[in-house]
Amino acid sequence: MVVTRKRLAIAGLIIAAGFLVLWGIYTAAVHTTAGGRVFQFGLVGQAESVDPARVRNNVEKLMASTMYEPLVRWDDQTQSLKPCLANNWGYAKDAKSIIFALEADVKFHSGRRLNAHDVKMSWERSLRLSDSPVTRSLFSTVVGTEEFINGSAQEISGIKVLDAHTLQVNLTEPDSAFVYKVTHPAFWVVDTRDAIEIPPGTGPYKLDRFNAGEGLTVKAFRNYHGLRPAIAAVRFICYQDENQGLGAFKAGEIDALDSVPRSEVSALQADTDRHRLVKSPLMGFYAYAMNVNKAPYNQLNLRRAINYCIDRDLIIKNVMGGVGQPARGILPMAVPGYNRALQGYTLNTEKAIELLADTDYFKSVNPPVLQATYNTDEGHARVALALKNQLETMQIAVQPTSLSWEEYEKRMTSMQLDFFRLGWDADYPDADAFLYPLFHSSQIGVTNLTGYRNPQVDRILDAARAETQSNTERIKLLRRAEQIILDDAPMLWLVQKEMVSIIRPDVQGFKLDGLGLVNWSNLRFQEQHQQQGVEKVSGRTVPLTP
């Protein structure tokens, strides 16, 4: 074919037109309104630090997630791990080491390029700075952790830098859950060479200013290695409680509030012209734990009977404002491996009576009164009262007992409480984050606060950690362990946690994942003329659905 100048000119016009179309699509995707409008995000709670080595609560974690990243990230939509700072990873056949291959084009906010040595230094810094037992437990299977903690070693010997972009982690025992643990803030990477109070990270936003107890402002990082955020800046404002935050939202001071009062959900749901509600299932549960080594909780049938005595749906409706799902089993539905076919516990008074008849609870003249202990809080008090009312219909006497947080935590962690409120939020997005720390006998006195011990469960959980070749087989093992633990009933499981957020109608792409985090690349403002054409078919958050 002969190429003429005319054909070249036409081809050039086609290419140029195609480029303009693609550019239009791109700019529409990342368009921000109101001249780079700041996203005003209200959070209920306080933040003392946004350094990932020091974060202690969900507010601090959510703030820090704008600036810092892990090697792998959790994707709620696909229920799987995705590349972040690492583009590939894999276990050795014996599941006792894992290699991460890092992205080559990642820059810190300081401008310096990330390398494998930075990851090692950052992880060691987290363990050095944190006194949290959670952080120590996350690192516990890494070779050299114990020596590093007690000061006999200057580095964690099991973290090996193979080259500039390859990191190897050697483990003391098989741990298929370790790759999920890496999503925890303790493993988010900071630039340790920049000795400032809040070190630079690699995230989509960089620090503008932070005031402890008040809030944080971050601005988009121009050299971000991933999909650049559409929102130019995010400002977090901290509120003492949900009512204060909701007042600020109604006054037009913020674009979103992470958590609304449960008592207001019904009214807010009825008026969605000026706002939208987003219900997010979380990887957490609300329960009452029982010390299985102390009477009367050392009787299996009593523990099981208590679980059959409770109408969880009624508690959610009357006490929790309809927020939450009944916890028939251990794992919340947001956790990968959640077993929808699991029968678990529901209200069954006939079964409860049958089980109680097989205990010695009613054989004494004065059956023991169950001391339902909780830390002082109006919401916890209402749950304890609901338990009392329901259990006493079965002639089981209950005395709600309130303690200050300090006294409650001290007595709980030293295993001095027999029947006590226990809220559990996953430290990493995996069933292992519930089953191993709460029920493996090696964790008794650390995170296993019921004293539960079952050698069969230990073997199954160990086998699940050793399984790295087939995730399907691993999930089967974890589900088997869950069923055995359920049958042993060391806890009274009540509610799977949910959070209801409120946002302006022009906020798009907002949702908390199971870990309570936001995908900042999805967040954007929708212009009014676009909103009118899109919102009518959206339906993602209205009506309010799980």
Side-chain angles (χ1 to χ4, degrees):
M1 183 178 78
V2 179
V3 179
T4 65
R5 290 184 178 178
K6 183 177 181 181
R7 283 177 174 163
L8 283 172
I10 293 172
L13 288 172
I14 292 172
I15 292 171
F19 175 78
L20 289 173
V21 170
L22 290 173
W23 178 253
I25 294 172
Y26 172 77
T27 53
V30 299
H31 182 63
T32 57
T33 58
R37 171 179 158 194
V38 176
F39 180 63
Q40 309 277 356
F41 192 1
L43 303 178
V44 178
Q46 298 301 304
E48 297 301 322
S49 176
V50 289
D51 183 333
R54 293 186 168 97
V55 298
R56 289 297 189 94
N57 57 48
N58 289 335
V59 169
E60 294 175 344
K61 183 171 72 170
L62 188 55
M63 287 182 175
S65 71
T66 59
M67 299 184 290
Y68 305 101
E69 298 176 304
L71 300 189
V72 298
R73 66 176 180 86
W74 175 248
D75 182 56
D76 229 33
Q77 192 168 22
T78 62
Q79 290 278 287
S80 64
L81 295 174
K82 296 292 185 182
C84 193
L85 297 181
N87 55 32
N88 204 357
W89 58 90
Y91 278 92
K93 287 186 178 180
D94 64 359
K96 292 181 68 174
S97 67
I98 181 171
I99 290 179
F100 294 95
L102 305 186
E103 293 280 2
D105 61 346
V106 177
K107 287 185 177 180
F108 287 110
H109 301 153
S110 57
R112 193 172 63 79
R113 288 191 179 275
L114 169 77
N115 60 54
H117 184 70
D118 292 315
V119 178
K120 175 180 171 68
M121 295 296 290
S122 185
W123 289 6
E124 290 174 347
R125 174 182 179 273
S126 283
L127 194 55
R128 184 184 303 112
L129 293 180
S130 177
D131 59 357
S132 168
V134 171
T135 299
R136 295 189 174 191
S137 69
L138 293 171
F139 280 91
S140 63
T141 57
V142 179
V143 170
T145 293
E146 186 176 345
E147 294 79 2
F148 184 78
I149 290 174
N150 64 32
S152 62
Q154 297 301 307
E155 65 169 345
I156 303 176
S157 60
I159 303 176
K160 302 286 188 183
V161 176
L162 302 186
D163 60 42
H165 297 103
T166 311
L167 190 79
Q168 178 174 318
V169 182
N170 297 327
L171 306 169
T172 57
E173 59 191 54
D175 189 2
S176 58
F178 183 79
V179 68
Y180 294 91
K181 295 176 185 178
V182 169
T183 62
H184 189 273
F187 295 93
W188 295 357
V189 180
V190 307
D191 186 354
T192 60
R193 297 188 191 182
D194 206 330
I196 56 177
E197 184 178 358
I198 303 176
T202 61
Y205 291 93
K206 63 180 182 178
L207 178 68
D208 182 34
R209 60 184 177 273
F210 172 68
N211 295 314
E214 296 181 12
L216 167 76
T217 303
V218 292
K219 294 183 176 180
F221 178 42
R222 291 183 176 275
N223 294 320
Y224 181 55
H225 64 95
L227 181 64
R228 285 179 58 188
I231 302 292
V234 180
R235 180 179 175 233
F236 297 93
I237 305 98
C238 294
Y239 296 100
Q240 294 288 339
D241 55 49
E242 292 169 332
N243 288 310
Q244 184 187 27
L246 183 59
F249 182 87
K250 290 180 175 180
E253 297 171 9
I254 53 178
D255 298 301
L257 180 68
D258 67 329
S259 179
V260 301
R262 291 188 175 100
S263 59
E264 298 291 331
V265 170
S266 296
L268 292 169
Q269 190 175 354
D271 178 17
T272 56
D273 291 336
R274 290 172 293 181
H275 59 254
R276 292 186 293 143
L277 295 179
V278 182
K279 180 182 281 189
S280 304
L282 301 177
M283 297 185 194
F285 65 63
Y286 190 109
Y288 263 73
M290 293 174 268
N291 190 323
V292 299
N293 297 312
K294 293 185 179 181
Y297 310 102
N298 55 355
Q299 300 179 71
L300 170 61
N301 283 343
L302 177 66
R303 300 196 303 267
R304 297 184 67 198
I306 289 173
N307 270 282
Y308 281 119
C309 286
I310 301 303
D311 187 338
R312 294 157 176 81
D313 291 291
L314 191 64
I315 291 176
I316 292 169
K317 177 183 177 182
N318 293 344
V319 179
M320 298 190 167
V323 180
Q325 295 295 319
R328 297 181 176 90
I330 303 168
L331 302 179
M333 64 177 63
V335 176
Y338 173 72
N339 187 0
R340 295 186 180 276
L342 189 71
Q343 293 298 314
Y345 293 103
T346 57
L347 176 64
N348 187 332
T349 54
E350 291 183 2
K351 184 68 173 176
I353 292 170
E354 177 187 334
L355 290 166
L356 285 169
D358 199 27
T359 72
D360 63 10
Y361 182 76
F362 293 115
K363 291 180 181 179
S364 61
V365 177
N366 296 306
V369 176
L370 308 188
Q371 298 287 335
T373 307
Y374 58 92
N375 57 296
T376 303
D377 175 87
E378 183 181 347
H380 299 331
R382 294 181 66 198
V383 173
L385 181 59
L387 291 182
K388 172 183 170 69
N389 292 337
Q390 293 195 28
L391 287 171
E392 289 187 347
T393 64
M394 303 297 293
Q395 307 305 310
I396 299 175
V398 177
Q399 176 60 56
T401 304
S402 173
L403 297 175
S404 68
W405 169 254
E406 292 76 17
E407 182 65 18
Y408 167 79
E409 183 180 36
K410 177 183 175 182
R411 294 179 61 181
M412 178 178 64
T413 54
S414 60
M415 299 183 67
Q416 297 178 42
L417 299 179
D418 300 342
F419 186 46
F420 56 97
R421 185 199 72 81
L422 180 69
W424 190 263
D425 299 303
D427 291 313
Y428 46 98
D430 188 58
D432 180 276
F434 293 84
L435 303 180
Y436 196 95
L438 289 173
F439 306 110
H440 196 284
S441 64
S442 67
Q443 303 304 301
I444 291 176
V446 183
T447 47
N448 177 344
L449 302 177
T450 62
Y452 176 78
R453 183 190 301 271
N454 185 323
Q456 185 183 12
V457 168
D458 286 352
R459 287 193 296 271
I460 295 171
L461 292 178
D462 290 340
R465 284 199 164 188
E467 179 56 72
T468 58
Q469 302 304 307
S470 170
N471 194 51
T472 300
E473 290 302 314
R474 181 172 173 271
I475 292 298
K476 286 181 180 178
L477 289 167
L478 292 168
R479 286 179 172 178
R480 185 181 169 198
E482 181 186 20
Q483 185 63 69
I484 296 171
I485 298 165
L486 268 180
D487 291 340
D488 288 341
M491 292 185 184
L492 166 58
W493 293 279
L494 294 173
V495 179
Q496 297 181 15
K497 292 184 178 181
E498 291 180 329
M499 185 173 286
V500 177
S501 308
I502 189 168
I503 60 176
R504 299 272 169 227
D506 62 345
V507 174
Q508 299 292 303
F510 177 92
K511 188 181 186 300
L512 298 177
D513 67 16
L515 295 170
L517 299 177
V518 171
N519 185 332
W520 301 109
S521 296
N522 288 345
L523 193 65
R524 55 184 39 81
F525 290 117
Q526 191 76 41
E527 285 198 273
Q528 189 63 35
H529 70 277
Q530 293 173 313
Q531 179 185 326
Q532 291 171 350
V534 175
E535 283 293 298
K536 292 179 182 178
V537 298
S538 174
R540 288 195 301 169
T541 54
V542 178
L544 186 62
T545 56

